Amino acid sequence: MKDRSTTRARLRLALAPLLATCAAAATMVAMAPSASAGTTLGASAAEKGRYFGAAIAAGRMSDSQYMNILNAEFNSVTAENEMKWASTEPQQNVFSYGSADRIVNHALSRGMSVRGHTLLWHAQQPGWAQGMSGSALRNAAINHVTKVATYYRGKIHSWDVVNEAFADGGSGGRRDSNLQRTGNDWIEAAFRAARAADPGAKLCYNDYNTDGINAKSTGIYNMVRDFKSRGVPIDCVGFQSHLGTTFPGDYQANLQRFADLGVDVQITELDVMKGSNQANVFASVTRACLAVSRCTGITVWGIRDSDSWRGSDDALLWDRSGNKKQAYHSTLEALNAGGGTPPPTTTPPPPTTTPPPSGGGCTASVTLNSWSGGFVANVKVTAGSAAINGWTVRVALPGGTAVTGTWSAQASGASGTVNFRNVDYNGQVGAGASTEFGFQGTGVGPSAAPTCTVG
Ligand code: G2I
């Protein structure tokens, strides 16, 4: 697990060149809001079809100044630590959602959306997972994705399905980690499991030091392009944007090249080194997001300088006494001034191209994601020419294969021929329409076509 000092060392390393070339001239930022402009970050972003969020800590929710700022200014929330693997699954298959739920319930009760951070990461893993490897770890990781995303199904705007899986430096390749050593396909397995568990959430890949066109961001770009070409379900890329004293000149172009691949982009953990350019950097990031129609929102990584993981960098929008900083005013002004390119209204996914069966009844098809020793199966159930109310899919498993987890269906057993029945929310399927369920297992996935019967 990465501790705070390691993290800070990494940030220092990342920021060192920026600090060395600190520009002396500060850019003056217009401060007066225009007459029709939004008066808070959240309201102004909403006028532009976007959200403006903050990472918050459950441990600070009794601080009234903190909560007053949150409630007044933001319309999106991220849990700073409470949804990480170590927090939500402290013992294997024993889940703990108390702190995360306090954040989620507060947000939803006030009409704020929630970014889920994060399902899989090499850091902040529970001790039991840190010691695992191979298919045991892969299965545990997919189980974690499935269980947590299922628990929060319908409540999460965007999930950081995978966080920080790429290496720093010039390689453009993956970071070494216990997860990476389970096989290069661990990221796509995680995205498929997340989609099956919560089909309504946007699924994001999130990383840092990707704030311009560089080897790392290009490595991620190539992965996203590959995922889109092969139908791996990815909807968005998060750019953490832990920034130094300068604004990268190719920041907007980098967002745009990802958007052009057909994914949304989000600024997910924005904070900026203190100094005379801080307000300008915040405003520049905001303008870049507004200029990219698929940039759907910005999240700052904390509220007051005293809440920040960056300690003495004073990297946020409110000072330690809860006063708005110049950086706050410049950000709001940029939000109010911008807005030439509203994001498109969310379009539903294209209808399935599989023709419905001609008669009544139902059909089922399986998509398998396999690795040595395990697999995830996503099953699509399609109604025939008449609506159905209840279905059962029969799957023949090879000898030695065992089902270790099922979502959106009830399994009759774990091996041999298994019947998967609908659960209460997906039994009704309209004529020609589809629903999905999934299961994961050890051994080899099913090769024979499943059968579907009504009832
Ligand atoms: O490191 C900054 C961020 C980089 N991107 C991913 C984010 O998830 C990450 O957030 C930070 C939190 O802001 C810190 O609050 O992640 C750190 C862990 O890598 C968080 O620090 C941890 C400390 O390491 C723990 O000692 C502490 O118990 O915060 C915990 C809760 O305060």
Side-chain angles (χ1 to χ4, degrees), residues 392-395 409-413 416-421 437 451 453:
T392 301
V393 172
R394 173 176 288 243
V395 178
Q410 188 77 44
S412 62
T417 298
V418 180
N419 287 330
F420 294 90
R421 267 190 69 77
F437 72 94
T451 59
T453 50

Side-chain angles (χ1 to χ4, degrees), residues 53-100:
I56 66 166
R60 291 192 168 92
M61 290 177 72
S62 55
D63 178 334
S64 58
Q65 180 183 70
Y66 182 79
M67 295 306 285
N68 288 340
I69 298 173
L70 173 72
N71 294 339
E73 290 284 345
F74 295 95
N75 58 4
S76 167
V77 157
T78 306
E80 188 175 355
N81 289 295
E82 292 76 356
M83 285 194 183
K84 294 172 181 175
W85 197 354
S87 302
T88 52
E89 195 181 358
Q91 298 165 51
Q92 187 165 13
N93 236 353
V94 177
F95 293 84
S96 159
Y97 296 113
S99 298

Side-chain angles (χ1 to χ4, degrees), residues 5-17 19 208-209 242-244 271 273 309-310 313:
S5 59
T6 317
T7 306
R8 291 192 57 76
R10 186 189 75 196
L11 183 79
R12 294 261 170 263
L13 207 62
L15 299 183
L19 297 175
Y208 68 93
N209 279 355
H242 297 294
L243 295 174
D271 48 25
M273 173 60 89
W309 72 292
R310 290 179 62 169
D313 287 358

Side-chain angles (χ1 to χ4, degrees), residues 2-4 7 10 80-81 84 117 121 124 163-164 240 242 269 301 309:
K2 176 164 55 64
D3 64 18
R4 193 180 182 95
T7 306
R10 186 189 75 196
E80 188 175 355
N81 289 295
K84 294 172 181 175
H117 176 80
W121 188 21
Q124 286 183 286
N163 190 46
E164 301 179 6
Q240 293 185 10
H242 297 294
E269 303 183 15
W301 205 242
W309 72 292

